[in-house]
Amino acid sequence: MKKILTKYIKSVENIGLGNQLFLIGVFFLPSALPIGALFLLISVFIAFQNKKQIFINDVWDKLFIVCMIFILISTLYICFLNTPNELVDFNKSIVWLNLFNWLPIIIFYFGFKNYLVNREQKVLFENYLISGTVPVIFSCFIQKFFNLYGPFETLFGSIVWFNRETPGPISGLFNNPNYLGLWLTLCLPFSIMRLKDEKILTNKILLLLINILILYFTLETHSRNALIGIVITFLFIFNLRKVIIFSLFSILGIFLFVYLPPILLDIQTISFFDFPSSSVVERFKNNDTNFLNYPRILIFKRTISLILERPFWGWGGATFPYLYSQKQFYLIPFRFVDYQHTHNLILELAYNFGIPLSFLYTFNVSTIFLTSLKKTFILKNYSYLHNKPWVAAFAVFLFAHMYDITYYDGKISLLSCILLAGIKNSINETQTTSNLIIKKN
């Protein structure tokens, strides 16, 4: 077992301090966010100390700087120059605090690029991400099969495993089942690729078990976005024949590793035919025959009407739930629901900071993604096989944020930032940089 862990969690003695701290931060990110974020922050400081690394080296990076300026100007304009009448009594400090959801993430993006330059660095990241997800799987396991509910807190409440007691979907250590579902589906492409690349049988079995549990607990979140994320991952990573084979093995594995042991040990009575995906499929069904009355569509319509009232500078971050209640928006059948965000990242940016910022930011991220997609799947550059899970994971993130916003969870936003840095580096990757030895930084 010791040899397995030694091989799987590769030694970092031969890489620089900044890269070591980055990997430690990735490991603690899902289970102990304050610790993980602290290590990631220090690694970014070290990255910026490296004079040889050019952080702002193309038009994409420069556009991100422009986006940061837009966000700051928009916030200043709303708070000091032209406060909307509806927000006169709103606490403006909340608007300023909301900037921490956006500006640091862009800064971190520049720093993280330094640790994802070549193939070896990316593989190290993948190993530590999967290892750090094991506590997430453990939290799901004890919640599902042992009915152990939280919250479990330590370090004066700064680290919390929620394990919410809910009648249906599980949340694990996350605050919400949708957050758990997205985290697992973002990790799935990497765990599958590690499984495909692994040559040692014992390691392969361990990775197979991790993949099976990720798939099972993803379905147990009853999240539609998570289910679609699994489909996107399979389409990006496998061809059709391999999708069918992997799916059949996954279903068999879920029965052998998840359903059968609890039945034999009499931990909990489980019916195999009560498969978790059935609950997810039910959630795709809309009881209202009028598509325009679907809650997400109604939220989008209300949000667009608000955006058109202040199209250039927006309403300010974190004001949506307050303004939504002030406007007394109701959903069919005429009951008020307190929504915390717009459920669409493009609309969220436009609402918070204006249409120009939303267009610029969306255009920049989309062109990075599409260019990386082209180089990975069409042009097939030197290390396209290693870049496939990065593109797949970011595709899952983008799609999920068309109908929901889990970005405000620090774990999700930091991971999305790392993914963006990784696919951005893949665009400029050559055979030389792909095989480059990790720098001491």
Side-chain angles (χ1 to χ4, degrees):
M1 187 65 179
K2 183 178 179 181
K3 290 183 179 180
I4 295 176
L5 294 175
T6 303
K7 168 68 177 175
Y8 182 58
I9 307 176
K10 187 174 179 179
S11 172
V12 294
E13 293 180 356
N14 296 323
I15 65 176
L17 176 62
N19 212 146
Q20 292 181 38
L21 296 176
F22 170 73
L23 293 173
I24 295 172
V26 169
F27 177 82
F28 283 108
L29 182 59
S31 58
L33 178 59
I35 296 175
L38 177 61
F39 279 106
L40 292 174
L41 177 62
I42 297 173
S43 73
V44 168
F45 278 124
I46 294 175
F48 276 101
Q49 293 298 316
N50 181 13
K51 306 295 184 182
K52 296 180 181 180
Q53 178 69 32
I54 302 176
F55 295 98
I56 317 298
N57 53 5
D58 56 34
V59 66
W60 284 310
D61 291 347
K62 292 174 182 176
L63 283 177
F64 278 127
I65 298 298
V66 174
C67 288
M68 292 178 66
I69 295 172
F70 253 103
I71 291 173
L72 282 172
I73 293 176
S74 171
T75 304
L76 287 168
Y77 183 77
I78 291 167
C79 291
F80 298 112
L81 300 179
N82 187 7
T83 303
N85 294 329
E86 296 89 339
L87 299 178
V88 171
D89 297 326
F90 186 76
N91 187 354
K92 305 302 186 301
S93 62
I94 298 177
V95 178
W96 288 102
L97 286 173
N98 183 262
L99 294 181
F100 284 97
N101 288 314
W102 307 100
L103 299 185
I105 296 300
I106 298 176
I107 296 172
F108 276 36
Y109 155 80
F110 292 122
F112 290 159
K113 287 200 301 175
N114 199 50
Y115 305 123
L116 300 166
V117 174
N118 55 63
R119 182 183 304 173
E120 185 179 358
Q121 286 178 311
K122 289 183 176 180
V123 170
L124 279 172
F125 162 80
E126 293 168 13
N127 288 340
Y128 275 77
L129 176 67
I130 297 168
S131 302
T133 302
V134 171
V136 178
I137 295 173
F138 174 76
S139 71
C140 296
F141 194 87
I142 63 174
Q143 180 182 8
K144 174 65 179 178
F145 296 113
F146 293 93
N147 297 322
L148 293 179
Y149 303 111
F152 307 110
E153 300 181 3
T154 187
L155 290 182
F156 307 102
S158 61
I159 298 175
V160 182
W161 285 23
F162 288 95
N163 281 58
R164 293 191 178 278
E165 185 174 1
T166 55
I170 64 171
S171 63
L173 58 82
F174 284 82
N175 185 36
N176 184 290
N178 290 333
Y179 296 169
L180 171 64
L182 183 58
W183 180 273
L184 292 177
T185 49
L186 290 179
C187 295
L188 183 61
F190 299 110
S191 62
I192 291 175
M193 287 303 296
R194 293 292 92 229
L195 175 62
K196 292 178 65 177
D197 292 344
E198 184 57 59
K199 305 301 181 184
I200 301 175
L201 180 59
T202 49
N203 289 7
K204 209 170 186 69
I205 293 173
L206 178 63
L207 284 166
L208 177 61
L209 176 59
I210 290 174
N211 275 277
I212 289 171
L213 291 175
I214 286 177
L215 284 168
Y216 172 73
F217 288 124
T218 299
L219 295 175
E220 281 292 344
T221 63
H222 300 180
S223 169
R224 291 164 290 193
N225 272 338
L227 180 60
I228 295 173
I230 292 176
V231 174
I232 293 173
T233 296
F234 284 5
L235 292 177
F236 273 81
I237 301 298
F238 302 116
N239 57 38
L240 182 59
R241 181 176 64 87
K242 290 182 178 179
V243 168
I244 297 172
I245 294 174
F246 188 83
S247 299
L248 291 175
F249 269 101
S250 298
I251 294 172
L252 177 62
I254 288 173
F255 175 72
L256 292 177
F257 289 107
V258 179
Y259 281 99
L260 190 59
I263 294 174
L264 296 177
L265 297 174
D266 196 26
I267 296 175
Q268 183 176 322
T269 303
I270 299 175
S271 170
F272 177 70
F273 297 101
D274 185 22
F275 197 70
S277 63
S278 61
S279 301
V280 188
V281 173
E282 285 296 322
R283 295 197 64 194
F284 278 96
K285 297 179 181 179
N286 183 14
N287 294 327
D288 197 326
T289 56
N290 186 357
F291 177 73
L292 296 179
N293 286 337
Y294 190 67
R296 287 290 192 276
I297 301 301
L298 291 173
I299 296 171
F300 295 162
K301 287 167 63 178
R302 306 288 192 261
T303 302
I304 291 171
S305 68
L306 290 172
I307 291 171
L308 293 178
E309 291 183 35
R310 295 179 63 88
F312 200 75
W313 296 113
W315 291 88
T319 62
F320 182 81
Y322 177 84
L323 196 59
Y324 201 86
S325 62
Q326 289 289 99
K327 296 283 187 177
Q328 295 185 334
F329 287 142
Y330 291 85
L331 299 180
I332 304 297
F334 303 105
R335 63 184 179 91
F336 177 75
V337 180
D338 184 18
Y339 285 104
Q340 299 300 309
H341 50 70
T342 64
H343 287 77
N344 177 282
L345 193 56
I346 298 174
L347 293 179
E348 185 79 5
L349 287 167
Y351 171 86
N352 287 347
F353 310 113
I355 295 175
L357 179 279
S358 180
F359 174 81
L360 187 63
Y361 196 93
T362 303
F363 172 80
N364 207 31
V365 172
S366 299
T367 52
I368 291 174
F369 170 71
L370 292 174
T371 305
S372 178
L373 179 70
K374 178 182 178 181
K375 292 201 70 171
T376 301
F377 289 93
I378 299 177
L379 300 180
K380 295 188 176 181
N381 63 348
Y382 297 103
S383 57
Y384 79 95
L385 288 176
H386 287 275
N387 289 326
K388 283 174 68 174
W390 290 81
V391 178
F394 200 72
V396 170
F397 172 81
L398 290 179
F399 182 86
H401 282 77
M402 293 298 99
Y403 302 97
D404 194 12
I405 298 179
T406 55
Y407 174 88
Y408 288 128
D409 185 295
K411 306 176 185 72
I412 302 295
S413 58
L414 284 169
L415 180 56
S416 69
C417 174
I418 296 172
L419 295 177
L420 181 61
I423 66 169
K424 172 59 172 58
N425 280 349
S426 69
I427 295 174
N428 301 323
E429 196 172 69
T430 63
Q431 189 170 16
T432 303
T433 58
S434 177
N435 299 316
L436 198 64
I437 298 175
I438 298 178
K439 294 180 181 180
K440 291 281 186 176
N441 53 41

